Amino acid sequence: MMLKFLLVDDNPNDRFLISRLIHKEWPEAEIREVGGSADFHRAMEDFPYTAVVTDYHLRWSDGLEVLARVRERDPHVPVIMVTGTGTEEVAVRALKNGLSDYLLKRHMKRLPAAISECLEKAFLRKQVEEAHRRLLASERRYRMVVESASDWIFTLDLEGRYTSVNKRALEPLGLEPGDLIGKRVDEIHGGEEGSGYLDRVRHVIESGKAFSFEHEFHWGDRVYWHLDTLYPLLDEEGRVEAVGGTCTDITEQKNLERAIRESEERYRILAERSPVGVIITQEARFIYVNNTLARLLGRSPEELQGRSFLPFIREDYREFVRTAHLDRLAGREAPAVYPLPLADPGEERWLEVHSSLISHEGRPAALGIVVDITERIRADRRKRLFEAVIEQASEGIIIADGDGVIQYVNPAFLSATGYDAGELERRPLADLSSGVHEPAYYEEMWKTVKAGKVWTGDVTLPTKAGGRRDFEMTLSPVRDEEGRVMSVVAICRDVTQERALEAQLRQAQKMEALGTLAGGIAHDFNNILGAIVGYTELARMEIPKESKAHQHLERVLASGRRARDLVQQILTFSRQKEMEKRPVHLRYLIKEAVRMLRASIPSTIEIREYAPSEVPPVLGDPTQLHQVVMNLCTNAYHAMREAGGELELRLERVCVEGDGLLHLAELREGEYVVLTVRDTGCGIPHEILDRIFEPYFTTKEVGEGTGLGLAVVHGIVRGLNGAVRVESRVGEGTTFRIYLPALLEGATDGPATEQKMDLPRGTERVLVVDDEPALVEMARQILTRLGYQVTGFSDPREALARFQDAPHAFDLVITDMTMPKITGRKLAHAVRHLRRDLPVILTSGYSNSIGDEEARQAGFSAFLKKPYGALALAETVRRVLDDAMASRMP
């Protein structure tokens, strides 16, 4: 520590001399010289001096004033006064005021020694004062600890009288220290308890050793238990001069021990008789097992004691349980509750273990409460299975409470209707009304369920998107123990597509039946028309063109041709008329139809067409496909002629696959050309949509249509393996979509034009066979007029007999297809058996299995469709005879 001196003297020479003496003794010392009052006051403020050397006589004061100021600041700093004129009286006065030393200037050389002595005395004085201060503080702390301690802290003299006792310990007894001081311990405790306590005090005095003991202490009407420690207090020579003691109230501990013993007994009984298993394990071994768990494990508690618990656990769980057990014993995190399967080769059993860490015999152990949860596991599995079945069921399932408020909806129902679960749950079942059914329908449904019966029926429900779907619904009530309906389960099978397919099937069956009927009628009608047209042509040949009769016959022929066209439409509808199929680009047909329409419909109807060139062709009859386009456009025009509107024709290529086949069940997967005809007209009412393809069904005024237009469209499209779909809203318009298989190859466009010729003639011998005598006679007269030699029969058996008699009497056979007894096929076969080279022409007014190509493949030379006119008959006969003659030439 570096010394710092404050030197106060108004004589510079004296200050110099004193500084030399100090530096000589303490070279590193710092000296602050003060010669005036201002310097002194500043030094008192900012200089931390270690010792002060001052003169007595100062011009501005004296050494006693300096001493007083220094003592105010620090009473322990050494102050040495050096004077040349001081008196003994001044010295005494200064020493009384705390001066450390007094020197005359003539003895200046003694100053360093005086300073050293004063510094040492000051240091010793500080140590003494510090020790005294610590002693006082220690006494205060000890007194505070003793006085505030809840335990008794006391001293006894050699006769066992209290000489001191802390106050705090006596407060619970309502005593003051004065109530015990001077009294012997046996007076306080009394009776045998007091005598025994005094004997223990004497034992400590005699043995000189400390002694601890428990004893009962009765005070008032209460009984206390104390733990006392008595120890000898020795004098300087090691003899016992008193006895010290501490007394701790252990009444609560004693009561707790008694309660623990009683509790242990109660818990022992509880554990032994508990309906759940109780187990203590340590180091993977049984320490304790109650009777319940022992029974679950098929052993007695004694058999399990000390054994490893791992063999009783199913093998795939052993490592998990062992790790959890060791982690718990080590204080690491481990599952407190876990399921545990037993290693029972018979019936599967599951236990649930609630485990916690305890101490057993000073070491960590695990306490477990074990519950048999086998039934709960089985119930949970059944519940999960039930939930999985409901969640994955293909049928919709709704669960509602007894008031009909929806509690649960499975994914299948949500998928079918488009709703989210949150949008349906907690809503009444009545909110799912679609408006299709009358209120009485729902009332009867709910009345049946509330009566505890099962209701089954068809229900139409709304979808989130605003549509509707059809369901087969079964509503089953669920009763509680008292028989009340507490919930309702609805099983909903979505039959929307099924109903649509059924409707399509019914429609297809109806159309097929109508087609069969129409085809049969057409056959008979063609025979009639054949006679009418043929005989009219014969009559016309014999009447001058200028006569009115000739004009009348022209009108008859015109009507006959119209009737023939009508029959062709019927056959097209019934798909009995053979189509002459070839690749056709529909865009050309659309453009031709648009040109024709623009010239005939009013300007209030705007026509738009979208027919890109990249759309592939289809395979069909160009004339019939043109008829499809015109029929649809004509219907659209009729729907818009009053108010005008927009007619759109669109052509596009689509791929029908996957879900698309659900709505187009009659189609196969593949590429299709779709012709869309859309109008913005009056629309078609929903209730008649299913009838629009029926022949002769029409909503038009008399004279505006026959009702065959859409029936013909349907027949043509179905004959091309296509499909027709229609969408319509009243007041908004109608859209027809025609699906035709795409032909991914090139196509030629435009139907072949019919070439007119003069009636060819001949002289060959012809055998005509038809079950209609009028047709036989008509053919005979036409061919006879053309120069042929004709033999006719209306009975095929007679014709065959005549031919068998003279096989070489004929050059050609013309036979009807459908005749009684012998069909045209059989007759041709019999004729060819006799004359292999004889040509045979087949005629028919109805056939669902033969056409030109089929006839040739069947061995016929040609096929002549009824009703035929003179031109068709003459051309066919001449062509077949010429071909036969050419084939015979070498």
Side-chain angles (χ1 to χ4, degrees):
M1 172 181 169
M2 187 176 69
L3 298 177
K4 296 184 178 182
F5 292 94
L6 179 62
L7 178 55
V8 184
D9 198 322
D10 54 6
N11 187 331
N13 294 327
D14 289 343
R15 290 200 305 272
F16 175 74
L17 180 59
I18 293 172
S19 294
R20 285 186 61 191
L21 290 173
I22 292 174
H23 276 138
K24 186 176 180 180
E25 184 69 25
W26 296 284
E28 302 297 328
E30 181 182 351
I31 301 174
R32 177 86 169 260
E33 296 184 9
V34 174
S37 175
D39 292 340
F40 175 71
H41 288 296
R42 282 195 297 272
M44 293 301 292
E45 294 294 333
D46 60 14
F47 186 64
Y49 44 79
T50 307
V52 179
V53 179
T54 182
D55 192 4
Y56 175 70
H57 288 289
L58 300 169
R59 289 193 301 272
W60 45 272
S61 183
D62 59 22
L64 293 177
E65 178 65 22
V66 172
L67 175 62
R69 291 295 305 279
V70 172
R71 286 290 172 258
E72 288 177 2
R73 181 175 174 182
D74 189 339
H76 302 296
V77 172
V79 179
I80 301 167
M81 188 178 294
V82 180
T83 183
T85 59
T87 63
E88 185 177 345
E89 181 182 355
V90 172
V92 171
R93 183 180 171 190
L95 290 171
K96 285 182 178 182
N97 289 335
L99 186 67
S100 300
D101 206 350
Y102 183 88
L103 290 177
L104 295 175
K105 287 186 177 181
R106 63 175 174 270
H107 301 302
M108 188 69 72
K109 292 182 179 180
R110 291 184 57 245
L111 180 61
I115 292 173
S116 295
E117 184 179 350
C118 290
L119 288 172
E120 185 175 353
K121 288 180 179 179
F123 175 73
L124 292 175
R125 186 163 50 250
K126 282 186 178 182
Q127 282 189 323
V128 170
E129 289 181 358
E130 179 64 23
H132 182 65
R133 185 186 63 77
R134 286 198 298 271
L135 178 60
L136 292 176
S138 176
E139 289 178 351
R140 284 195 300 273
R141 286 196 299 273
Y142 174 74
R143 190 177 301 111
M144 185 180 298
V145 169
V146 171
E147 290 300 326
S148 61
S150 58
D151 291 350
W152 291 29
I153 301 175
F154 57 88
T155 56
L156 304 171
D157 63 15
L158 296 180
E159 294 182 1
R161 292 185 176 86
Y162 287 99
T163 56
S164 68
V165 62
N166 61 326
K167 180 178 180 180
R168 174 78 180 276
L170 300 177
E171 289 177 356
L173 304 179
L175 298 175
E176 294 288 336
D179 296 331
L180 272 68
I181 300 300
K183 294 183 179 180
R184 277 197 332 203
V185 292
D186 55 343
E187 296 179 52
I188 300 301
H189 291 279
E192 293 184 5
E193 180 183 324
S195 299
Y197 202 103
L198 185 59
D199 290 341
R200 294 184 181 99
V201 172
R202 290 170 179 164
H203 173 73
V204 171
I205 295 172
E206 293 172 357
S207 64
K209 297 180 180 178
F211 181 69
S212 296
F213 56 93
E214 293 180 1
H215 69 96
E216 281 187 295
F217 175 50
H218 294 76
W219 188 258
D221 57 353
R222 292 192 61 185
V223 178
Y224 298 88
W225 274 92
H226 286 175
L227 173 62
D228 285 22
T229 299
L230 301 177
Y231 49 88
L233 298 175
L234 306 177
D235 59 12
E236 291 82 356
E237 297 178 0
R239 293 175 299 193
V240 178
E241 64 176 1
V243 175
T246 61
C247 174
T248 302
D249 187 347
I250 60 171
T251 305
E252 290 187 7
Q253 180 180 335
K254 282 292 186 180
N255 293 337
L256 180 61
E257 289 176 355
R258 183 174 62 254
I260 289 174
R261 287 194 299 273
E262 294 173 355
S263 176
E264 286 178 348
E265 180 61 20
R266 287 196 299 270
Y267 281 113
R268 186 188 66 79
I269 296 172
L270 177 62
E272 291 301 322
R273 300 180 182 179
S274 173
V276 299
V278 180
I279 181 177
I280 298 176
T281 57
Q282 196 175 61
E283 297 177 355
R285 296 188 176 277
F286 292 114
I287 301 301
Y288 169 79
V289 181
N290 74 340
N291 292 324
T292 301
L293 182 58
R295 284 195 299 272
L296 287 174
L297 299 180
R299 302 287 194 279
S300 68
E302 293 75 21
E303 290 177 302
L304 296 173
Q305 191 78 20
R307 291 184 60 176
S308 170
F309 57 70
L310 292 176
F312 293 92
I313 301 169
R314 202 170 72 190
E315 186 174 359
D316 55 334
Y317 267 71
R318 289 175 187 170
E319 182 58 27
F320 161 76
V321 176
R322 188 187 70 83
T323 302
H325 176 70
L326 296 179
D327 286 344
R328 180 169 290 103
L329 296 186
R332 293 188 292 269
E333 183 177 351
V337 181
Y338 52 87
L340 194 66
L342 295 182
D344 189 344
E347 183 183 12
E348 180 186 44
R349 300 203 68 81
W350 283 81
L351 307 178
E352 184 176 76
V353 180
H354 299 250
S355 183
S356 59
L357 182 64
I358 64 170
S359 177
H360 177 74
E361 295 183 351
R363 292 184 299 156
L367 170 65
I369 303 300
V370 184
V371 183
D372 187 353
I373 59 169
T374 304
E375 288 305 318
R376 192 175 83 190
I377 290 289
R378 292 171 181 168
D380 186 59
R381 287 175 179 171
R382 290 193 296 269
K383 178 176 177 292
R384 289 199 302 271
L385 177 61
F386 173 72
E387 290 174 348
V389 168
I390 291 180
E391 289 290 319
Q392 300 174 29
S394 58
E395 286 81 9
I397 298 176
I398 304 173
I399 300 177
D401 62 18
D403 296 324
V405 178
I406 298 172
Q407 305 297 315
Y408 169 82
V409 185
N410 79 330
F413 186 84
L414 297 176
S415 175
T417 59
Y419 288 103
D420 296 327
E423 294 174 315
L424 295 180
E425 291 175 357
R426 295 181 295 280
R427 287 178 57 187
L429 275 170
D431 286 358
L432 290 177
S433 173
S434 63
V436 173
H437 308 288
E438 296 294 329
Y441 189 79
Y442 296 107
E443 291 173 4
E444 180 63 25
M445 176 196 304
W446 194 245
K447 180 180 177 181
T448 302
V449 175
K450 292 297 284 185
K453 300 177 182 178
V454 176
W455 181 91
T456 301
D458 291 342
V459 178
T460 299
L461 302 179
T463 65
K464 183 177 180 180
R468 294 170 179 170
R469 296 197 74 82
D470 297 324
F471 292 90
E472 283 184 355
M473 179 180 287
T474 299
L475 281 174
S476 303
V478 180
R479 300 172 180 270
D480 60 14
E481 295 81 358
E482 298 178 1
R484 294 173 298 190
V485 176
M486 64 182 219
S487 60
V488 178
V489 178
I491 308 298
C492 309
R493 189 169 74 89
D494 188 350
V495 294
T496 305
Q497 188 62 35
E498 184 177 318
R499 294 290 186 264
L501 292 175
E502 288 175 357
Q504 292 179 21
L505 178 59
R506 286 195 300 271
Q507 181 70 6
Q509 290 172 340
K510 180 169 64 175
M511 300 299 286
E512 190 71 25
L514 289 172
T516 302
L517 175 63
I521 294 173
H523 170 256
D524 293 334
F525 195 47
N526 274 335
N527 286 335
I528 298 171
L529 280 177
I532 293 173
V533 171
Y535 284 111
T536 301
E537 287 182 340
L538 285 173
R540 189 183 59 169
M541 292 177 186
E542 297 179 357
I543 298 175
K545 292 184 180 181
E546 300 80 14
S547 65
K548 287 188 177 181
H550 192 281
Q551 296 176 5
H552 294 332
L553 292 175
E554 285 289 350
R555 291 190 178 93
V556 172
L557 286 174
S559 296
R561 285 192 290 270
R562 288 180 58 192
R564 181 188 60 193
D565 293 340
L566 181 60
V567 172
Q568 295 306 311
Q569 287 187 349
I570 294 174
L571 290 175
T572 299
F573 153 72
S574 64
R575 293 185 289 128
Q576 306 304 330
K577 181 178 182 296
E578 182 63 24
M579 296 184 182
E580 298 176 1
K581 298 178 183 179
R582 60 191 178 92
V584 179
H585 279 288
L586 291 180
R587 65 180 182 275
Y588 297 116
L589 297 182
I590 291 176
K591 292 182 182 297
E592 181 182 348
V594 169
R595 282 196 301 271
M596 295 176 62
L597 289 169
R598 289 192 192 278
S600 60
I601 66 175
S603 59
T604 56
I605 298 176
E606 180 183 358
I607 302 177
R608 295 182 179 181
E609 60 173 297
Y610 303 91
S613 59
E614 60 268 18
V615 175
V618 299
L619 188 63
D621 186 318
T623 303
Q624 291 184 345
L625 290 173
H626 184 269
Q627 187 177 10
V628 168
V629 177
M630 289 304 298
N631 283 356
L632 293 177
C633 291
T634 301
N635 280 353
Y637 156 64
H638 285 157
M640 297 186 291
R641 62 183 172 182
E642 296 294 334
E646 180 181 294
L647 172 60
E648 178 185 308
L649 291 89
R650 178 182 294 273
L651 200 62
E652 58 187 331
R653 174 181 176 179
V654 300
C655 180
V656 176
E657 60 183 355
D659 293 342
L661 292 173
L662 296 176
H663 306 288
L664 297 162
E666 62 267 58
L667 298 185
R668 295 182 178 179
E669 186 176 285
E671 297 285 335
Y672 286 81
V673 174
V674 180
L675 167 64
T676 301
V677 179
R678 182 183 66 83
D679 67 67
T680 58
C682 58
I684 303 172
H686 178 75
E687 58 270 17
I688 67 172
L689 266 179
D690 290 341
R691 301 190 61 196
I692 62 175
F693 294 109
E694 295 179 9
Y696 303 111
F697 176 81
T698 180
T699 59
K700 299 174 184 177
E701 298 294 334
V702 176
E704 292 188 352
T706 64
L708 285 174
L710 291 180
V712 169
V713 169
H714 186 275
I716 293 173
V717 173
R718 289 296 302 274
L720 296 176
N721 297 320
V724 183
R725 290 293 180 269
V726 59
E727 299 172 6
S728 186
R729 289 181 180 271
V730 174
E732 296 182 14
T734 303
T735 300
F736 282 89
R737 289 186 176 85
I738 308 298
Y739 292 79
L740 296 173
L743 181 64
L744 304 180
E745 297 176 0
T748 58
D749 303 308
T753 58
E754 183 178 352
Q755 184 178 6
K756 295 185 178 181
M757 299 174 57
D758 293 332
L759 295 182
R761 304 175 67 84
T763 60
E764 286 87 353
R765 299 163 296 174
V766 180
L767 176 63
V768 177
V769 186
D770 197 305
D771 61 337
E772 290 287 340
L775 294 180
V776 174
E777 182 60 22
M778 179 201 72
R780 189 187 67 77
Q781 290 192 29
I782 292 174
L783 293 175
T784 300
R785 281 180 174 274
L786 297 176
Y788 295 101
Q789 303 174 48
V790 181
T791 303
F793 291 92
S794 59
D795 186 339
R797 292 174 297 179
E798 293 180 2
L800 180 58
R802 176 67 179 273
F803 185 85
Q804 290 173 339
D805 290 340
H808 295 281
F810 302 98
D811 300 309
L812 174 67
V813 175
I814 301 174
T815 178
D816 186 23
M817 177 69 176
T818 306
M819 295 182 296
K821 307 301 181 179
I822 300 177
T823 65
R825 287 178 183 271
K826 289 182 178 180
L827 179 63
H829 179 74
V831 167
R832 287 287 182 82
H833 181 69
L834 298 174
R835 287 273 306 275
R836 185 174 299 275
D837 59 341
L838 183 68
V840 180
I841 296 174
L842 180 67
T843 68
S844 178
Y846 165 75
S847 175
N848 61 357
S849 61
I850 195 165
D852 289 336
E853 184 62 29
E854 289 83 354
R856 283 190 290 270
Q857 291 178 0
F860 293 99
S861 303
F863 177 70
L864 188 59
K865 302 173 187 176
K866 293 182 181 180
Y868 52 82
L871 177 62
L873 178 61
E875 287 179 342
T876 304
V877 169
R878 187 68 263 159
R879 174 171 53 83
V880 169
L881 288 171
D882 289 345
D883 290 345
M885 184 179 297
S887 65
R888 296 190 192 102
M889 293 179 65

